[in-house]
Amino acid sequence: MPQPKSPEPRKTSVDLSVRIGPMTLANPVLTASGTFGYGDEYAHVVDVAALGGVITKTVTLEPRIGNAPVRIAETPSGMLNSIGLENVGLARFISEKLPKLRSLGATVVASIGGETPHELERLLDALGSEKGIAGFEINFSCPNVSKGGARYWAVPRRLEKTLERLRPLTRTALIAKLSPDVTSVGDLAIACEQGGADAVTAVNTFVGMAIDLEPLRPKLNRTTGGLSGPAIKPLALARCHEAARAVGIPVIGSGGIMNGRDALEFLAVGASAVQVGTLSFIRPRGASEVLEEMAAFLSARGVKRLQDWRGGLLGDGEPAAQRREAGAGRGKH
């Protein structure tokens, strides 16, 4: 039975606006790529225009059918997935998905993925001037593909040089989504900042594995997958903190956010915005709920601007708000 569309989030006296390079969001809550379809699939239950933004499924040059089943497995306090970037491909994204998203009035961030820097250039060249796209998130961190995945992109120099090639292709926001399975996410974030990114997302899923003892085999057909959900929140929070301390550009926190208080933790350690992922599988209206809970918490404590809360636990002695203000829009346009 179709669910009734959620009411528009209650208006709040708190200024929740966020600046990500040239992109201004009405609030800091975005949906994470790969957990919310292309956005239009959820429009009958969520007012997507009221969210800070919708990040689409990752789009590749050609359609992909993804990995063979089994691709999802539940774990304690989380889930494993090995979808493998299943998507409709560039041509259908432009002809079918984008017009629907434009009609919904959502702030759209297109996620794009490629196996090489050249593939990313071709994608951005085709999409960079499309109307209705406020920014791009470059998926440098998929753990579930054999080529062009998290391991390939976990090289700071490669990230920096690739972003230098992508930067001239669009005047919209350019966001780099990073893997947590590296020695230093801070080093990757610095490379992205130097390459011209407007922001980094910290972080994608963690590589994990689950076993069926009878019969003795991995639960996922591909053996490993990306772990998400509440189980990874403390790990993701630490990496978000590390990235926020390393760079002046905005950091978007992601990993196990299940309510407004979780989101406020990410913002307190320096994130400028957050992404809601696995929660949307459990409650399709989850991102809207996170937004309402966060606004109510701040309002009850007399906080007038999100900026006054953000970075309170950045912990380096430098006024956090000043760091984020200095970083907003620092990308090389």
Side-chain angles (χ1 to χ4, degrees):
M1 174 181 291
Q3 299 186 53
K5 192 170 184 176
S6 62
E8 186 175 341
R10 288 186 292 272
K11 293 189 181 304
T12 175
S13 59
V14 184
D15 178 3
L16 295 172
S17 61
V18 176
R19 180 86 183 274
I20 305 288
M23 176 174 65
T24 299
L25 306 178
N27 63 71
V29 179
L30 302 102
T31 58
S33 177
T35 65
F36 204 70
Y38 296 92
D40 58 310
E41 298 94 331
Y42 281 73
H44 63 294
V45 292
V46 180
D47 182 3
V48 294
L51 298 174
V54 171
I55 303 179
T56 69
K57 282 176 70 71
T58 295
V59 179
T60 54
L61 283 173
E62 302 297 332
R64 294 175 64 110
I65 61 172
N67 296 322
V70 174
R71 308 195 296 188
I72 298 243
E74 188 171 352
T75 64
S77 299
M79 63 172 282
L80 284 165
N81 91 81
S82 64
I83 303 300
L85 299 184
E86 176 185 351
N87 76 98
V88 299
L90 175 63
R92 282 186 59 195
F93 179 74
I94 292 175
S95 63
E96 297 178 16
K97 297 299 180 181
L98 263 182
K100 290 180 181 176
L101 285 173
R102 289 191 197 105
S103 70
L104 297 173
T107 298
V108 176
V109 176
S111 172
I112 60 174
E115 296 181 358
T116 64
H118 181 60
E119 285 193 6
L120 291 173
E121 283 183 296
R122 290 176 60 194
L123 283 160
L124 205 51
D125 194 41
L127 291 168
S129 58
E130 283 288 333
K131 293 180 180 177
I133 298 179
F136 294 91
E137 184 179 74
I138 316 300
N139 188 347
F140 287 126
S141 47
C142 179
N144 301 317
V145 291
S146 57
K147 295 181 180 178
R151 189 168 296 180
Y152 174 78
W153 292 112
V155 179
R157 186 62 174 162
R158 180 175 289 150
L159 284 180
E160 180 179 348
K161 301 301 290 184
T162 299
L163 284 161
E164 286 177 351
R165 292 166 62 172
L166 299 180
R167 180 70 275 175
L169 301 178
T170 181
R171 298 184 65 82
T172 63
L174 206 52
I175 303 164
K177 188 166 188 175
L178 303 178
S179 169
D181 295 314
V182 295
T183 303
S184 171
V185 74
D187 287 348
L188 295 187
I190 290 169
C192 292
E193 182 178 46
Q194 292 175 340
D198 292 301
V200 297
T201 298
V203 285
N204 207 323
T205 55
F206 289 72
V207 173
M209 186 175 179
I211 302 293
D212 260 335
L213 289 179
E214 294 182 21
L216 185 59
R217 65 185 182 195
K219 289 187 176 181
L220 296 177
N221 183 59
R222 197 173 178 268
T223 304
T224 62
L227 180 65
S228 62
I232 72 167
K233 200 198 83 179
L235 302 170
L237 192 65
R239 282 153 180 80
C240 178
H241 183 227
E242 179 186 344
R245 285 174 58 86
V247 295
I249 56 175
V251 174
I252 302 174
S254 179
I257 293 174
M258 304 300 282
N259 52 53
R261 298 180 75 95
D262 288 344
L264 286 164
E265 290 185 39
F266 278 85
L267 295 165
V269 301
S272 294
V274 296
Q275 295 181 9
V276 175
T278 301
L279 176 61
S280 295
F281 294 133
I282 303 169
R283 299 198 303 276
R285 301 186 183 108
S288 292
E289 294 169 7
V290 167
L291 174 58
E292 290 199 3
E293 292 166 9
M294 185 173 59
F297 181 99
L298 295 173
S299 180
R301 285 154 182 78
V303 178
K304 300 297 184 186
R305 303 183 311 157
L306 185 65
Q307 188 76 9
D308 298 331
W309 175 271
R310 187 182 307 142
L313 295 178
L314 198 54
D316 60 359
E318 182 180 359
Q322 181 181 333
R323 284 172 55 89
R324 300 273 76 77
E325 286 287 353
R330 190 176 289 177
K332 301 170 185 175
H333 296 287

